[in-house]
Every structure is written in structure tokens, then in C-alpha cells.
CSV table of all heavy atoms in Angstrom, one decimal:
chain,number,residue,atom,x,y,z
A,1195,MET,N,-1.7,-79.9,-15.7
A,1195,MET,CA,-0.4,-80.4,-16.0
A,1195,MET,C,-0.2,-81.8,-15.5
A,1195,MET,O,-0.4,-82.1,-14.3
A,1195,MET,CB,0.8,-79.5,-15.5
A,1195,MET,CG,2.1,-80.1,-15.7
A,1195,MET,SD,3.4,-78.9,-15.2
A,1195,MET,CE,3.5,-77.9,-16.7
A,1196,ASP,N,0.1,-82.8,-16.4
A,1196,ASP,CA,0.1,-84.2,-16.0
A,1196,ASP,C,1.5,-84.5,-15.3
A,1196,ASP,O,1.5,-85.4,-14.5
A,1196,ASP,CB,-0.1,-85.1,-17.2
A,1196,ASP,CG,-1.4,-84.9,-17.8
A,1196,ASP,OD1,-2.4,-84.6,-17.0
A,1196,ASP,OD2,-1.6,-85.1,-19.0
A,1197,LYS,N,2.5,-83.8,-15.8
A,1197,LYS,CA,3.9,-84.1,-15.3
A,1197,LYS,C,4.5,-82.9,-14.7
A,1197,LYS,O,4.2,-81.8,-15.1
A,1197,LYS,CB,4.8,-84.6,-16.5
A,1197,LYS,CG,4.3,-85.8,-17.2
A,1197,LYS,CD,5.2,-86.3,-18.2
A,1197,LYS,CE,5.3,-85.3,-19.4
A,1197,LYS,NZ,6.2,-85.9,-20.5
A,1198,THR,N,5.3,-83.1,-13.7
A,1198,THR,CA,6.0,-82.0,-13.0
A,1198,THR,C,7.5,-82.2,-13.1
A,1198,THR,O,8.0,-83.2,-12.8
A,1198,THR,CB,5.6,-81.9,-11.5
A,1198,THR,OG1,4.1,-81.8,-11.4
A,1198,THR,CG2,6.2,-80.8,-10.8
A,1199,PRO,N,8.2,-81.1,-13.6
A,1199,PRO,CA,9.7,-81.3,-13.6
A,1199,PRO,C,10.3,-81.1,-12.2
A,1199,PRO,O,9.8,-80.3,-11.4
A,1199,PRO,CB,10.1,-80.1,-14.6
A,1199,PRO,CG,9.0,-79.1,-14.4
A,1199,PRO,CD,7.7,-79.8,-14.1
A,1200,TRP,N,11.4,-81.8,-12.0
A,1200,TRP,CA,12.1,-81.5,-10.8
A,1200,TRP,C,13.6,-81.7,-11.1
A,1200,TRP,O,14.0,-82.3,-12.0
A,1200,TRP,CB,11.7,-82.5,-9.7
A,1200,TRP,CG,12.0,-83.9,-9.9
A,1200,TRP,CD1,11.3,-84.8,-10.7
A,1200,TRP,CD2,13.1,-84.7,-9.4
A,1200,TRP,NE1,11.9,-86.0,-10.7
A,1200,TRP,CE2,13.0,-86.0,-9.9
A,1200,TRP,CE3,14.1,-84.4,-8.5
A,1200,TRP,CZ2,13.9,-87.0,-9.6
A,1200,TRP,CZ3,15.0,-85.4,-8.2
A,1200,TRP,CH2,14.9,-86.7,-8.7
A,1201,VAL,N,14.4,-81.1,-10.2
A,1201,VAL,CA,15.9,-81.1,-10.4
A,1201,VAL,C,16.5,-82.0,-9.3
A,1201,VAL,O,16.2,-81.8,-8.2
A,1201,VAL,CB,16.5,-79.7,-10.3
A,1201,VAL,CG1,18.0,-79.8,-10.3
A,1201,VAL,CG2,15.9,-78.8,-11.4
A,1202,ASP,N,17.3,-83.0,-9.8
A,1202,ASP,CA,18.1,-83.8,-8.9
A,1202,ASP,C,19.3,-83.0,-8.5
A,1202,ASP,O,20.3,-82.9,-9.2
A,1202,ASP,CB,18.5,-85.1,-9.6
A,1202,ASP,CG,19.3,-86.0,-8.6
A,1202,ASP,OD1,19.7,-85.5,-7.5
A,1202,ASP,OD2,19.5,-87.2,-9.0
A,1203,GLN,N,19.2,-82.3,-7.3
A,1203,GLN,CA,20.2,-81.4,-7.0
A,1203,GLN,C,21.6,-82.0,-6.6
A,1203,GLN,O,22.6,-81.4,-6.6
A,1203,GLN,CB,19.8,-80.5,-5.8
A,1203,GLN,CG,18.6,-79.6,-6.2
A,1203,GLN,CD,18.3,-78.6,-5.1
A,1203,GLN,OE1,18.5,-78.8,-3.9
A,1203,GLN,NE2,17.7,-77.4,-5.5
A,1204,ASP,N,21.5,-83.3,-6.4
A,1204,ASP,CA,22.8,-84.0,-6.1
A,1204,ASP,C,23.7,-84.1,-7.4
A,1204,ASP,O,24.9,-84.2,-7.3
A,1204,ASP,CB,22.5,-85.5,-5.7
A,1204,ASP,CG,22.0,-85.5,-4.3
A,1204,ASP,OD1,22.2,-84.5,-3.5
A,1204,ASP,OD2,21.4,-86.5,-3.9
A,1205,GLU,N,23.0,-84.0,-8.6
A,1205,GLU,CA,23.7,-84.0,-9.8
A,1205,GLU,C,23.9,-82.7,-10.5
A,1205,GLU,O,24.8,-82.5,-11.4
A,1205,GLU,CB,22.9,-84.9,-10.8
A,1205,GLU,CG,22.7,-86.4,-10.3
A,1205,GLU,CD,24.0,-87.1,-10.2
A,1205,GLU,OE1,24.9,-86.9,-11.0
A,1205,GLU,OE2,24.1,-88.0,-9.3
A,1206,CYS,N,23.1,-81.7,-10.1
A,1206,CYS,CA,23.1,-80.3,-10.8
A,1206,CYS,C,24.5,-79.7,-10.5
A,1206,CYS,O,25.0,-79.7,-9.4
A,1206,CYS,CB,22.1,-79.5,-10.2
A,1206,CYS,SG,22.1,-77.7,-10.7
A,1207,ILE,N,25.1,-79.2,-11.6
A,1207,ILE,CA,26.4,-78.5,-11.5
A,1207,ILE,C,26.3,-77.0,-11.6
A,1207,ILE,O,27.3,-76.3,-11.8
A,1207,ILE,CB,27.3,-79.0,-12.7
A,1207,ILE,CG1,26.7,-78.7,-14.1
A,1207,ILE,CG2,27.7,-80.5,-12.5
A,1207,ILE,CD1,27.7,-79.0,-15.2
A,1208,SER,N,25.1,-76.5,-11.4
A,1208,SER,CA,24.8,-75.0,-11.3
A,1208,SER,C,25.3,-74.3,-12.5
A,1208,SER,O,25.7,-73.1,-12.4
A,1208,SER,CB,25.5,-74.5,-10.0
A,1208,SER,OG,25.1,-75.2,-8.9
A,1209,CYS,N,25.1,-74.9,-13.7
A,1209,CYS,CA,25.6,-74.2,-14.9
A,1209,CYS,C,24.6,-73.0,-15.3
A,1209,CYS,O,25.0,-72.1,-16.0
A,1209,CYS,CB,25.7,-75.1,-16.1
A,1209,CYS,SG,24.1,-75.6,-16.7
A,1210,GLY,N,23.4,-73.1,-14.9
A,1210,GLY,CA,22.5,-72.0,-15.1
A,1210,GLY,C,21.7,-72.0,-16.4
A,1210,GLY,O,20.9,-71.1,-16.7
A,1211,LEU,N,21.9,-73.0,-17.2
A,1211,LEU,CA,21.3,-73.0,-18.5
A,1211,LEU,C,19.8,-73.1,-18.4
A,1211,LEU,O,19.1,-72.4,-19.2
A,1211,LEU,CB,21.8,-74.2,-19.4
A,1211,LEU,CG,23.2,-74.1,-20.0
A,1211,LEU,CD1,23.6,-75.4,-20.7
A,1211,LEU,CD2,23.2,-72.9,-21.0
A,1212,CYS,N,19.3,-73.9,-17.6
A,1212,CYS,CA,17.8,-74.0,-17.4
A,1212,CYS,C,17.2,-72.7,-16.9
A,1212,CYS,O,16.1,-72.3,-17.4
A,1212,CYS,CB,17.4,-75.2,-16.5
A,1212,CYS,SG,18.0,-75.1,-14.8
A,1213,ILE,N,17.9,-72.0,-16.1
A,1213,ILE,CA,17.4,-70.8,-15.5
A,1213,ILE,C,17.5,-69.7,-16.6
A,1213,ILE,O,16.6,-68.8,-16.7
A,1213,ILE,CB,18.3,-70.4,-14.2
A,1213,ILE,CG1,18.0,-71.5,-13.2
A,1213,ILE,CG2,17.9,-69.0,-13.7
A,1213,ILE,CD1,19.0,-71.5,-12.1
A,1214,ASP,N,18.6,-69.6,-17.3
A,1214,ASP,CA,18.7,-68.7,-18.4
A,1214,ASP,C,17.6,-68.8,-19.4
A,1214,ASP,O,17.0,-67.9,-19.9
A,1214,ASP,CB,20.0,-68.8,-19.2
A,1214,ASP,CG,21.2,-68.3,-18.3
A,1214,ASP,OD1,21.0,-67.6,-17.3
A,1214,ASP,OD2,22.4,-68.7,-18.7
A,1215,ASN,N,17.2,-70.1,-19.8
A,1215,ASN,CA,16.2,-70.3,-20.8
A,1215,ASN,C,14.8,-70.2,-20.2
A,1215,ASN,O,13.9,-69.6,-20.9
A,1215,ASN,CB,16.4,-71.8,-21.3
A,1215,ASN,CG,17.5,-71.9,-22.3
A,1215,ASN,OD1,18.1,-70.9,-22.7
A,1215,ASN,ND2,17.9,-73.1,-22.6
A,1216,LEU,N,14.6,-70.6,-19.0
A,1216,LEU,CA,13.2,-70.6,-18.4
A,1216,LEU,C,13.2,-70.0,-17.0
A,1216,LEU,O,13.0,-70.7,-16.1
A,1216,LEU,CB,12.6,-72.0,-18.4
A,1216,LEU,CG,12.4,-72.6,-19.8
A,1216,LEU,CD1,11.9,-74.0,-19.7
A,1216,LEU,CD2,11.3,-71.8,-20.6
A,1217,PRO,N,13.5,-68.7,-16.9
A,1217,PRO,CA,13.6,-68.1,-15.6
A,1217,PRO,C,12.2,-68.0,-14.9
A,1217,PRO,O,12.2,-67.8,-13.6
A,1217,PRO,CB,14.1,-66.7,-15.9
A,1217,PRO,CG,13.7,-66.4,-17.3
A,1217,PRO,CD,13.8,-67.7,-18.0
A,1218,ASP,N,11.1,-68.2,-15.6
A,1218,ASP,CA,9.8,-68.3,-14.9
A,1218,ASP,C,9.5,-69.6,-14.3
A,1218,ASP,O,8.6,-69.8,-13.5
A,1218,ASP,CB,8.7,-68.0,-15.9
A,1218,ASP,CG,8.8,-66.5,-16.4
A,1218,ASP,OD1,9.3,-65.7,-15.7
A,1218,ASP,OD2,8.2,-66.3,-17.5
A,1219,VAL,N,10.4,-70.6,-14.6
A,1219,VAL,CA,10.2,-72.0,-14.1
A,1219,VAL,C,11.3,-72.4,-13.1
A,1219,VAL,O,11.0,-72.9,-12.0
A,1219,VAL,CB,10.1,-73.0,-15.2
A,1219,VAL,CG1,10.0,-74.4,-14.7
A,1219,VAL,CG2,9.0,-72.7,-16.2
A,1220,PHE,N,12.5,-72.0,-13.5
A,1220,PHE,CA,13.7,-72.5,-12.7
A,1220,PHE,C,14.3,-71.3,-12.0
A,1220,PHE,O,14.3,-70.2,-12.5
A,1220,PHE,CB,14.7,-73.2,-13.6
A,1220,PHE,CG,14.2,-74.4,-14.2
A,1220,PHE,CD1,13.6,-74.4,-15.5
A,1220,PHE,CD2,14.4,-75.7,-13.6
A,1220,PHE,CE1,13.1,-75.5,-16.1
A,1220,PHE,CE2,14.0,-76.8,-14.2
A,1220,PHE,CZ,13.3,-76.8,-15.5
A,1221,ARG,N,15.0,-71.5,-10.9
A,1221,ARG,CA,15.8,-70.5,-10.2
A,1221,ARG,C,16.8,-71.2,-9.4
A,1221,ARG,O,16.8,-72.5,-9.2
A,1221,ARG,CB,14.9,-69.7,-9.2
A,1221,ARG,CG,14.3,-70.5,-8.1
A,1221,ARG,CD,13.4,-69.6,-7.2
A,1221,ARG,NE,12.8,-70.5,-6.2
A,1221,ARG,CZ,11.7,-70.0,-5.4
A,1221,ARG,NH1,11.2,-68.8,-5.6
A,1221,ARG,NH2,11.2,-70.9,-4.5
A,1222,PHE,N,17.8,-70.4,-8.9
A,1222,PHE,CA,18.8,-71.0,-8.0
A,1222,PHE,C,18.3,-71.0,-6.6
A,1222,PHE,O,17.7,-70.0,-6.1
A,1222,PHE,CB,20.1,-70.2,-8.0
A,1222,PHE,CG,21.0,-70.4,-9.3
A,1222,PHE,CD1,21.3,-69.4,-10.1
A,1222,PHE,CD2,21.5,-71.7,-9.5
A,1222,PHE,CE1,22.1,-69.6,-11.3
A,1222,PHE,CE2,22.3,-71.9,-10.6
A,1222,PHE,CZ,22.6,-70.9,-11.5
A,1223,ALA,N,18.4,-72.2,-6.0
A,1223,ALA,CA,18.0,-72.3,-4.6
A,1223,ALA,C,19.1,-71.7,-3.7
A,1223,ALA,O,20.2,-71.4,-4.2
A,1223,ALA,CB,17.7,-73.8,-4.3
A,1224,ASP,N,18.8,-71.7,-2.4
A,1224,ASP,CA,19.8,-71.1,-1.5
A,1224,ASP,C,21.1,-71.9,-1.5
A,1224,ASP,O,22.2,-71.4,-1.2
A,1224,ASP,CB,19.3,-71.1,-0.1
A,1224,ASP,CG,18.2,-70.0,0.1
A,1224,ASP,OD1,18.1,-69.1,-0.8
A,1224,ASP,OD2,17.4,-70.1,1.0
A,1225,ASN,N,21.1,-73.2,-1.9
A,1225,ASN,CA,22.3,-74.0,-1.9
A,1225,ASN,C,23.0,-73.9,-3.2
A,1225,ASN,O,24.0,-74.6,-3.4
A,1225,ASN,CB,21.9,-75.5,-1.6
A,1225,ASN,CG,21.0,-76.1,-2.7
A,1225,ASN,OD1,20.7,-75.4,-3.7
A,1225,ASN,ND2,20.6,-77.3,-2.5
A,1226,GLY,N,22.6,-73.0,-4.1
A,1226,GLY,CA,23.3,-72.7,-5.3
A,1226,GLY,C,23.0,-73.7,-6.4
A,1226,GLY,O,23.5,-73.6,-7.6
A,1227,LYS,N,22.1,-74.6,-6.2
A,1227,LYS,CA,21.6,-75.6,-7.2
A,1227,LYS,C,20.3,-75.1,-7.8
A,1227,LYS,O,19.6,-74.3,-7.1
A,1227,LYS,CB,21.4,-77.0,-6.6
A,1227,LYS,CG,22.7,-77.6,-5.9
A,1227,LYS,CD,23.8,-77.7,-6.9
A,1227,LYS,CE,25.0,-78.4,-6.3
A,1227,LYS,NZ,24.9,-79.8,-6.1
A,1228,ALA,N,20.0,-75.5,-9.0
A,1228,ALA,CA,18.7,-75.2,-9.6
A,1228,ALA,C,17.6,-75.9,-8.9
A,1228,ALA,O,17.7,-77.0,-8.4
A,1228,ALA,CB,18.7,-75.5,-11.1
A,1229,GLU,N,16.4,-75.2,-8.9
A,1229,GLU,CA,15.2,-75.8,-8.4
A,1229,GLU,C,14.0,-75.3,-9.3
A,1229,GLU,O,14.1,-74.3,-10.0
A,1229,GLU,CB,14.9,-75.5,-7.0
A,1229,GLU,CG,14.6,-74.0,-6.7
A,1229,GLU,CD,14.2,-73.7,-5.3
A,1229,GLU,OE1,14.3,-74.6,-4.5
A,1229,GLU,OE2,13.9,-72.5,-5.0
A,1230,VAL,N,13.0,-76.1,-9.3
A,1230,VAL,CA,11.7,-75.7,-10.0
A,1230,VAL,C,10.9,-75.0,-9.0
A,1230,VAL,O,10.6,-75.6,-7.9
A,1230,VAL,CB,11.0,-77.0,-10.5
A,1230,VAL,CG1,9.7,-76.6,-11.1
A,1230,VAL,CG2,11.9,-77.7,-11.6
A,1231,TYR,N,10.4,-73.8,-9.3
A,1231,TYR,CA,9.6,-73.1,-8.4
A,1231,TYR,C,8.2,-72.8,-9.0
A,1231,TYR,O,7.3,-72.4,-8.3
A,1231,TYR,CB,10.2,-71.8,-7.9
A,1231,TYR,CG,10.3,-70.7,-8.9
A,1231,TYR,CD1,9.4,-69.6,-8.8
A,1231,TYR,CD2,11.3,-70.7,-9.9
A,1231,TYR,CE1,9.5,-68.5,-9.8
A,1231,TYR,CE2,11.3,-69.6,-10.8
A,1231,TYR,CZ,10.5,-68.6,-10.7
A,1231,TYR,OH,10.5,-67.5,-11.7
A,1232,ALA,N,8.1,-72.9,-10.3
A,1232,ALA,CA,6.8,-72.7,-11.0
A,1232,ALA,C,6.6,-73.6,-12.1
A,1232,ALA,O,6.8,-73.3,-13.3
A,1232,ALA,CB,6.7,-71.2,-11.4
A,1233,PRO,N,6.3,-74.9,-11.8
A,1233,PRO,CA,6.3,-75.9,-12.9
A,1233,PRO,C,5.3,-75.7,-14.0
A,1233,PRO,O,5.4,-76.2,-15.1
A,1233,PRO,CB,6.0,-77.2,-12.1
A,1233,PRO,CG,5.4,-76.7,-10.8
A,1233,PRO,CD,6.0,-75.4,-10.5
A,1234,ALA,N,4.2,-74.9,-13.7
A,1234,ALA,CA,3.2,-74.7,-14.7
A,1234,ALA,C,3.4,-73.4,-15.5
A,1234,ALA,O,2.6,-73.0,-16.3
A,1234,ALA,CB,1.8,-74.6,-14.0
A,1235,ALA,N,4.6,-72.8,-15.3
A,1235,ALA,CA,4.8,-71.5,-16.0
A,1235,ALA,C,5.3,-71.6,-17.4
A,1235,ALA,O,5.4,-70.6,-18.1
A,1235,ALA,CB,5.9,-70.7,-15.2
A,1236,ALA,N,5.5,-72.8,-17.9
A,1236,ALA,CA,5.8,-73.1,-19.3
A,1236,ALA,C,5.2,-74.4,-19.7
A,1236,ALA,O,5.0,-75.3,-18.8
A,1236,ALA,CB,7.3,-73.1,-19.5
A,1237,ALA,N,4.9,-74.6,-21.0
A,1237,ALA,CA,4.4,-75.8,-21.5
A,1237,ALA,C,5.4,-77.0,-21.3
A,1237,ALA,O,6.6,-76.7,-21.3
A,1237,ALA,CB,4.0,-75.6,-22.9
A,1238,GLU,N,4.8,-78.2,-21.2
A,1238,GLU,CA,5.7,-79.3,-21.0
A,1238,GLU,C,6.7,-79.5,-22.2
A,1238,GLU,O,7.9,-79.8,-21.9
A,1238,GLU,CB,4.8,-80.6,-20.9
A,1238,GLU,CG,4.0,-80.7,-19.7
A,1238,GLU,CD,3.2,-82.0,-19.6
A,1238,GLU,OE1,3.3,-82.8,-20.5
A,1238,GLU,OE2,2.4,-82.1,-18.7
A,1239,GLU,N,6.3,-79.2,-23.4
A,1239,GLU,CA,7.2,-79.4,-24.5
A,1239,GLU,C,8.3,-78.4,-24.5
A,1239,GLU,O,9.5,-78.6,-24.9
A,1239,GLU,CB,6.5,-79.4,-25.9
A,1239,GLU,CG,5.7,-78.2,-26.1
A,1239,GLU,CD,4.2,-78.3,-25.7
A,1239,GLU,OE1,3.9,-79.0,-24.7
A,1239,GLU,OE2,3.4,-77.7,-26.4
A,1240,ILE,N,8.0,-77.2,-24.0
A,1240,ILE,CA,9.0,-76.1,-23.8
A,1240,ILE,C,10.0,-76.5,-22.7
A,1240,ILE,O,11.2,-76.4,-22.9
A,1240,ILE,CB,8.4,-74.8,-23.5
A,1240,ILE,CG1,7.4,-74.4,-24.7
A,1240,ILE,CG2,9.4,-73.7,-23.3
A,1240,ILE,CD1,8.1,-74.2,-26.0
A,1241,ILE,N,9.5,-77.0,-21.6
A,1241,ILE,CA,10.4,-77.4,-20.5
A,1241,ILE,C,11.3,-78.6,-21.0
A,1241,ILE,O,12.5,-78.6,-20.7
A,1241,ILE,CB,9.6,-77.8,-19.3
A,1241,ILE,CG1,8.9,-76.6,-18.7
A,1241,ILE,CG2,10.5,-78.5,-18.3
A,1241,ILE,CD1,7.9,-76.9,-17.6
A,1242,GLN,N,10.7,-79.5,-21.8
A,1242,GLN,CA,11.5,-80.6,-22.3
A,1242,GLN,C,12.6,-80.1,-23.2
A,1242,GLN,O,13.8,-80.5,-23.1
A,1242,GLN,CB,10.6,-81.5,-23.1
A,1242,GLN,CG,11.3,-82.7,-23.7
A,1242,GLN,CD,11.7,-83.7,-22.7
A,1242,GLN,OE1,10.9,-84.1,-21.8
A,1242,GLN,NE2,13.0,-84.2,-22.7
A,1243,GLN,N,12.3,-79.2,-24.1
A,1243,GLN,CA,13.3,-78.7,-25.1
A,1243,GLN,C,14.3,-77.7,-24.6
A,1243,GLN,O,15.5,-77.8,-24.9
A,1243,GLN,CB,12.5,-78.0,-26.3
A,1243,GLN,CG,11.7,-79.0,-27.1
A,1243,GLN,CD,10.7,-78.3,-28.1
A,1243,GLN,OE1,10.8,-77.1,-28.3
A,1243,GLN,NE2,9.8,-79.0,-28.7
A,1244,GLU,N,13.8,-76.8,-23.7
A,1244,GLU,CA,14.6,-75.7,-23.3
A,1244,GLU,C,15.4,-76.0,-22.0
A,1244,GLU,O,16.3,-75.2,-21.5
A,1244,GLU,CB,13.8,-74.4,-23.1
A,1244,GLU,CG,13.1,-74.0,-24.4
A,1244,GLU,CD,14.1,-73.5,-25.4
A,1244,GLU,OE1,15.1,-72.9,-25.1
A,1244,GLU,OE2,13.9,-73.8,-26.6
A,1245,ALA,N,15.0,-77.0,-21.3
A,1245,ALA,CA,15.7,-77.3,-20.0
A,1245,ALA,C,16.2,-78.8,-20.0
A,1245,ALA,O,17.4,-79.1,-19.9
A,1245,ALA,CB,14.8,-77.0,-18.8
A,1246,ILE,N,15.3,-79.7,-20.0
A,1246,ILE,CA,15.6,-81.1,-19.9
A,1246,ILE,C,16.6,-81.6,-20.9
A,1246,ILE,O,17.6,-82.2,-20.6
A,1246,ILE,CB,14.3,-82.0,-19.8
A,1246,ILE,CG1,13.5,-81.7,-18.6
A,1246,ILE,CG2,14.7,-83.5,-19.9
A,1246,ILE,CD1,12.2,-82.4,-18.5
A,1247,ASP,N,16.3,-81.2,-22.2
A,1247,ASP,CA,17.2,-81.7,-23.3
A,1247,ASP,C,18.5,-81.1,-23.3
A,1247,ASP,O,19.5,-81.6,-23.9
A,1247,ASP,CB,16.5,-81.5,-24.6
A,1247,ASP,CG,15.3,-82.4,-24.8
A,1247,ASP,OD1,15.1,-83.4,-24.1
A,1247,ASP,OD2,14.5,-82.2,-25.8
A,1248,ILE,N,18.7,-79.9,-22.7
A,1248,ILE,CA,20.0,-79.2,-22.8
A,1248,ILE,C,20.8,-79.2,-21.5
A,1248,ILE,O,21.9,-78.8,-21.4
A,1248,ILE,CB,19.8,-77.7,-23.2
A,1248,ILE,CG1,18.8,-76.9,-22.3
A,1248,ILE,CG2,19.2,-77.7,-24.7
A,1248,ILE,CD1,19.4,-76.2,-21.2
A,1249,CYS,N,20.2,-79.8,-20.4
A,1249,CYS,CA,20.9,-79.9,-19.1
A,1249,CYS,C,22.2,-80.8,-19.4
A,1249,CYS,O,22.0,-81.9,-19.8
A,1249,CYS,CB,20.1,-80.5,-18.1
A,1249,CYS,SG,21.0,-80.8,-16.5
A,1250,PRO,N,23.4,-80.2,-19.1
A,1250,PRO,CA,24.6,-81.0,-19.5
A,1250,PRO,C,24.8,-82.3,-18.7
A,1250,PRO,O,25.5,-83.2,-19.1
A,1250,PRO,CB,25.7,-80.0,-19.2
A,1250,PRO,CG,25.1,-79.0,-18.3
A,1250,PRO,CD,23.7,-78.9,-18.6
A,1251,VAL,N,24.1,-82.4,-17.5
A,1251,VAL,CA,24.3,-83.6,-16.7
A,1251,VAL,C,22.9,-84.4,-16.6
A,1251,VAL,O,22.8,-85.3,-15.8
A,1251,VAL,CB,24.8,-83.3,-15.3
A,1251,VAL,CG1,26.2,-82.8,-15.4
A,1251,VAL,CG2,24.0,-82.3,-14.6
A,1252,SER,N,22.0,-83.9,-17.4
A,1252,SER,CA,20.7,-84.7,-17.5
A,1252,SER,C,20.1,-84.9,-16.1
A,1252,SER,O,19.6,-86.0,-15.8
A,1252,SER,CB,20.8,-86.0,-18.3
A,1252,SER,OG,21.3,-85.8,-19.6
A,1253,CYS,N,20.0,-83.8,-15.3
A,1253,CYS,CA,19.5,-84.0,-14.0
A,1253,CYS,C,18.1,-83.4,-13.7
A,1253,CYS,O,17.7,-83.3,-12.6
A,1253,CYS,CB,20.5,-83.4,-12.9
A,1253,CYS,SG,20.6,-81.6,-12.9
A,1254,ILE,N,17.5,-83.0,-14.8
A,1254,ILE,CA,16.1,-82.5,-14.7
A,1254,ILE,C,15.2,-83.7,-15.2
A,1254,ILE,O,15.4,-84.2,-16.3
A,1254,ILE,CB,15.8,-81.3,-15.5
A,1254,ILE,CG1,16.9,-80.2,-15.2
A,1254,ILE,CG2,14.4,-80.7,-15.3
A,1254,ILE,CD1,16.8,-79.0,-16.1
A,1255,HIS,N,14.2,-84.0,-14.4
A,1255,HIS,CA,13.4,-85.2,-14.7
A,1255,HIS,C,11.9,-84.8,-14.6
A,1255,HIS,O,11.5,-83.8,-13.9
A,1255,HIS,CB,13.7,-86.3,-13.7
A,1255,HIS,CG,15.1,-86.7,-13.6
A,1255,HIS,ND1,15.8,-87.4,-14.6
A,1255,HIS,CD2,16.1,-86.4,-12.7
A,1255,HIS,CE1,17.1,-87.5,-14.2
A,1255,HIS,NE2,17.3,-86.9,-13.1
A,1256,TRP,N,11.1,-85.7,-15.1
A,1256,TRP,CA,9.6,-85.6,-14.9
A,1256,TRP,C,9.2,-86.5,-13.7
A,1256,TRP,O,9.8,-87.6,-13.6
A,1256,TRP,CB,8.9,-86.0,-16.1
A,1256,TRP,CG,9.0,-85.1,-17.3
A,1256,TRP,CD1,9.7,-85.4,-18.5
A,1256,TRP,CD2,8.5,-83.8,-17.5
A,1256,TRP,NE1,9.7,-84.4,-19.3
A,1256,TRP,CE2,8.9,-83.4,-18.8
A,1256,TRP,CE3,7.8,-82.9,-16.7
A,1256,TRP,CZ2,8.6,-82.1,-19.3
A,1256,TRP,CZ3,7.4,-81.7,-17.2
A,1256,TRP,CH2,7.8,-81.3,-18.5
A,1257,GLN,N,8.2,-86.0,-13.0
A,1257,GLN,CA,7.6,-86.9,-12.0
A,1257,GLN,C,6.1,-86.9,-12.1
A,1257,GLN,O,5.6,-86.0,-12.7
A,1257,GLN,CB,8.1,-86.6,-10.6
A,1257,GLN,CG,7.6,-85.2,-10.1
A,1257,GLN,CD,8.1,-84.9,-8.7
A,1257,GLN,OE1,8.8,-85.7,-8.1
A,1257,GLN,NE2,7.6,-83.8,-8.2
B,2036,LIG,S1,20.8,-77.1,-16.7
B,2036,LIG,FE1,21.0,-78.8,-15.3
B,2036,LIG,S2,23.1,-78.6,-14.4
B,2036,LIG,FE2,22.5,-76.6,-15.3
B,2036,LIG,S3,21.6,-75.4,-13.6
B,2036,LIG,FE3,19.9,-76.4,-14.7
B,2036,LIG,S4,19.6,-78.4,-13.6
B,2036,LIG,FE4,21.6,-77.6,-13.0
């Protein structure tokens, strides 16, 4: 995998959409914000479409 997704937790509003769509990649951290725990568990295009593109505050990024 060339790119790794990460969540800017300062911006995350804990809506849960990324976790609902891709529970194998995202989960709630102890602080109630989303985090990436298995970045290779879905293809990049799926992460782009099912998480990054639908995050209401656009706080999921590639690094
Ligand atoms: S979709 Fe965005 S705002 Fe919602 S839980 Fe995931 S990272 Fe946070």
C-alpha cells in the first residue's frame, strides 16, 4: 500500500460513518474519535469512496 489513511482527531465529530462503512479499517478510539487501526484491510479506492469522500468534516486524509 502506497498511501495510509489517518484521521485528524481534532476535526472528527464522531459521527461514525467511516466506522459503519469500513469497520475492518476504522474504529472508535478511547477518546471517542475515529482512528485507523488496519489501513490495509480495504483497497485504497474503497477507503476513498466509503470513508474519505463521505466524512462530513473531511478529516480523513492520506499520508
Ligand atoms: S466519518 Fe469523519 S467525522 Fe465521522 S467518525 Fe469518521 S472521521 Fe470522524
Side-chain angles (χ1 to χ4, degrees):
M1195 174 174 277
D1196 297 329
K1197 301 185 291 186
T1198 300
W1200 67 280
V1201 174
D1202 181 350
Q1203 293 190 333
D1204 289 339
E1205 302 296 327
C1206 174
I1207 58 171
S1208 304
C1209 74
L1211 284 175
C1212 61
I1213 297 163
D1214 287 344
N1215 284 349
L1216 294 173
D1218 292 338
V1219 177
F1220 297 89
R1221 66 184 175 192
F1222 282 118
D1224 289 343
N1225 63 3
K1227 302 299 182 76
E1229 68 176 3
V1230 176
Y1231 74 101
E1238 289 179 7
E1239 56 267 33
I1240 299 299
I1241 293 174
Q1242 180 70 48
Q1243 294 168 7
E1244 299 295 323
I1246 292 176
D1247 288 349
I1248 57 89
C1249 175
V1251 293
S1252 300
C1253 70
I1254 309 171
H1255 307 284
W1256 294 110
Q1257 65 180 5

